[in-house]
Amino acid sequence: SQTIHQWPATLVQPVGSPLSLECTVEGTSNPNLYWYRQAAGRGLQLLFYSVGIGQISSEVPQNLSASRPQDRQFILSSKKLLLSDSGFYLCAWSRVSVQSSTDTQYFGPGTRLTVL
Amino acid sequence: AQSVTQLDSHVSVSEGTPVLLRCNYSSSYSPSLFWYVQHPNKGLQLLLKYTSAATLVKGINGFEAEFKKSETSFHLTKPSAHMSDAAEYFCVVRVLTNAGKSTFGDGTTLTVKP
C-alpha cells in the first residue's frame, strides 16, 4: 500500500530564517506530487505541483520554492521566511494516468509552520 | 476555468440528526468531484468521489453525495450525525484539461452537539 510522510510535524521559525519541508511517498512510482498551504480558517491553496523529477510548476508568486530531487521526494523551501508564510502545509500525491482528473489525491499529515 | 463554492462556512447539527453540507461547482468541462474531511491538525481524508459513473456516490462513514448536473451541485449528506463527524469538510473539483489540478472550496466546519 502507499503511504505519504511529511516532516517535521510542527515548526516554529523566526522571520528571515530559511525553511525546508520534506515529503516522501512510498509504495508507488512516478507519482504526481503537490504542495498546498492552508492558512488559518481558509481553504487549500495549491503552491506547486510536479509531474516528474526536476519538473516543478508554480501556481502562485511567492518567496517559496519547490524541488523534486528524487522520484518520490518533494521539498518545499524558502531562503527567508515571512510572517505571511505561517500556515498548515500539506503534501499530496496522485497517480499519473490519461484520466488524471479522476485520480484521487492522497494527502500527508501536514506540517504546522509558525513564523514569529 | 473551474470553481467551487461551499455555501455554508459553518453547520451545526445535533447528534442523530441528518447532515447536509452544500457544494456548487462550475466547470467548462466534465468534472470529477470529491469530498474530503479534515480533523484538527490532520491531513485530508477522502470521503467519496464522483467520476462520471453513478450520480449517487456512497462513501465512508455513512456519507453519500449526489451529482446533479442541472443544478451544478454535489451536496454531501449523512442520515444520522455522530460526534466523531465533527470536522472540516472540503468539496473539490478537478478537470482533465487542467493537468488534473484540484480546486478546493473554502471548507465547511461541522459541529455536532450532544
Side-chain angles (χ1 to χ4, degrees), chain A residues 72-91:
Chain A
R72 291 169 289 175
Q73 184 185 31
F74 205 23
I75 297 173
L76 183 69
S77 303
S78 174
K79 293 181 179 178
K80 289 185 177 181
L81 283 169
L82 306 173
L83 287 173
S84 57
D85 291 325
S86 293
F88 194 48
Y89 287 82
L90 289 159
C91 180

Side-chain angles (χ1 to χ4, degrees), chain A residues 33-37 44-51 55-66 74 76 105, chain B residues 2 97-104:
Chain A
L33 295 172
Y34 309 82
W35 276 113
Y36 289 88
R37 177 169 59 202
L44 274 72
Q45 179 185 39
L46 179 64
L47 301 176
F48 301 95
Y49 71 95
S50 171
V51 299
Q55 301 179 62
I56 310 294
S57 296
S58 175
E59 289 297 293
V60 293
Q62 58 206 316
N63 71 320
L64 299 171
S65 61
F74 205 23
L76 183 69
Q105 286 185 334
Chain B
Q2 60 200 48
T97 58
N98 199 20
K101 292 180 288 183
S102 297
T103 299
F104 284 74

Side-chain angles (χ1 to χ4, degrees), chain A:
Chain A
S1 63
Q2 300 83 18
T3 56
I4 178 168
H5 304 279
Q6 285 186 246
W7 64 89
T10 60
L11 190 60
V12 179
Q13 292 283 96
V15 169
S17 64
L19 173 74
S20 180
L21 303 181
E22 190 164 344
C23 170
T24 58
V25 181
E26 296 177 355
T28 189
S29 298
N30 193 30
N32 286 340
L33 295 172
Y34 309 82
W35 276 113
Y36 289 88
R37 177 169 59 202
Q38 184 178 30
R42 304 284 296 277
L44 274 72
Q45 179 185 39
L46 179 64
L47 301 176
F48 301 95
Y49 71 95
S50 171
V51 299
I53 295 175
Q55 301 179 62
I56 310 294
S57 296
S58 175
E59 289 297 293
V60 293
Q62 58 206 316
N63 71 320
L64 299 171
S65 61
S67 61
R68 186 170 177 174
Q70 301 180 42
D71 181 44
R72 291 169 289 175
Q73 184 185 31
F74 205 23
I75 297 173
L76 183 69
S77 303
S78 174
K79 293 181 179 178
K80 289 185 177 181
L81 283 169
L82 306 173
L83 287 173
S84 57
D85 291 325
S86 293
F88 194 48
Y89 287 82
L90 289 159
C91 180
W93 75 273
S94 68
R95 289 185 177 85
V96 178
S97 67
V98 174
Q99 290 292 331
S100 61
S101 64
T102 66
D103 291 333
T104 300
Q105 286 185 334
Y106 299 93
F107 286 82
T111 295
R112 173 73 61 192
L113 173 65
T114 303
V115 182
L116 302 175

